[in-house]
Amino acid sequence: MAFINCKLTEQEKDKLALLNLKNPLFPQKQIELNKLSYQTFDEEQDARLLIIRHEIIWSMVALFLWKENVCEIYAHDSADYEIDEINLKVIITIKWKIDKIHIPECLKNKKDELLRLIKESLIVKAKKVYGLEDIKSEIFSVQCNTVFEGKLELIFY
């Protein structure tokens, strides 16, 4: 199975409430799960990306949950658009710059697998953020590329 963008069900919110998730921007406050509506989820991997904030301080502050381990992600995203008039194609390149990720010490030996899952979830999430899941054009085809750039800081706690 792979990551999909889907609504967060009431049952999933109840399960997440048991984890007592804190807001990375305001660590004294618990995350208000009723304000979260969407997730990027891979049921087989038991992994989910929850966007906490997509603006202001960082372009994106998110929690990545993998088997009930919680990671904090701080990242920026942008999109570049090109039109290939010869092949009637719109080429969209989404660029992610992951600034830092706070990772529990228990995942230190699994950081490569964790980073792969985080990148996969961001690729799928970007399609939702930029509305690419809903594009159905009879005139142009849409090609979506995702690029990860910049230096990544991993912080273990």
Side-chain angles (χ1 to χ4, degrees):
M1 190 160 191
F3 281 97
I4 59 168
N5 291 313
C6 58
K7 285 195 175 221
L8 199 55
T9 66
E10 291 304 315
Q11 182 181 359
E12 288 169 321
K13 288 179 185 179
D14 291 343
K15 180 182 171 186
L16 291 174
L18 297 174
L19 295 176
N20 212 11
L21 300 172
K22 302 291 182 193
N23 187 324
L25 296 173
F26 307 100
Q28 304 85 350
K29 295 179 83 177
Q30 225 176 306
I31 291 184
E32 297 178 49
L33 294 169
N34 59 339
K35 290 188 176 180
L36 298 177
S37 55
Y38 281 93
Q39 65 179 335
T40 304
F41 183 57
D42 184 330
E43 186 175 17
E44 187 177 296
Q45 296 287 333
D46 191 17
R48 71 182 78 227
L49 178 71
L50 300 170
I51 304 298
I52 305 305
R53 189 158 199 96
H54 200 246
E55 59 186 301
I56 304 178
I57 300 170
W58 271 276
S59 290
M60 185 194 75
V61 176
L63 293 180
F64 187 82
L65 285 71
W66 186 34
K67 300 176 183 171
E68 297 191 7
N69 293 295
V70 181
C71 304
E72 296 174 8
I73 302 171
Y74 301 84
H76 294 81
D77 63 329
S78 63
D80 293 330
Y81 301 87
E82 291 178 49
I83 298 178
D84 178 349
E85 294 178 10
I86 296 169
N87 297 312
L88 297 177
K89 186 185 288 187
V90 175
I91 302 168
I92 301 169
T93 302
I94 298 170
K95 296 178 183 174
W96 283 101
K97 181 175 184 289
I98 302 173
D99 300 308
K100 62 183 171 180
I101 303 175
H102 292 247
I103 300 173
E105 187 72 31
C106 63
L107 294 179
K108 195 171 194 172
N109 294 335
K110 297 182 178 188
K111 73 174 182 177
D112 292 336
E113 185 179 359
L114 175 67
L115 290 174
R116 179 187 58 78
L117 288 170
I118 289 172
K119 287 181 177 184
E120 285 178 20
S121 70
L122 289 172
I123 289 168
V124 173
K125 185 61 174 183
K127 291 179 182 178
K128 176 82 176 159
V129 170
Y130 287 97
L132 301 176
E133 293 179 326
D134 302 324
I135 293 178
K136 293 181 179 80
S137 175
E138 296 170 10
I139 301 170
F140 283 97
S141 65
V142 176
Q143 174 185 329
C144 181
N145 305 319
T146 304
V147 177
F148 291 89
E149 51 182 31
K151 188 176 169 186
L152 170 64
E153 179 185 2
L154 300 178
I155 302 166
F156 295 95
Y157 63 92

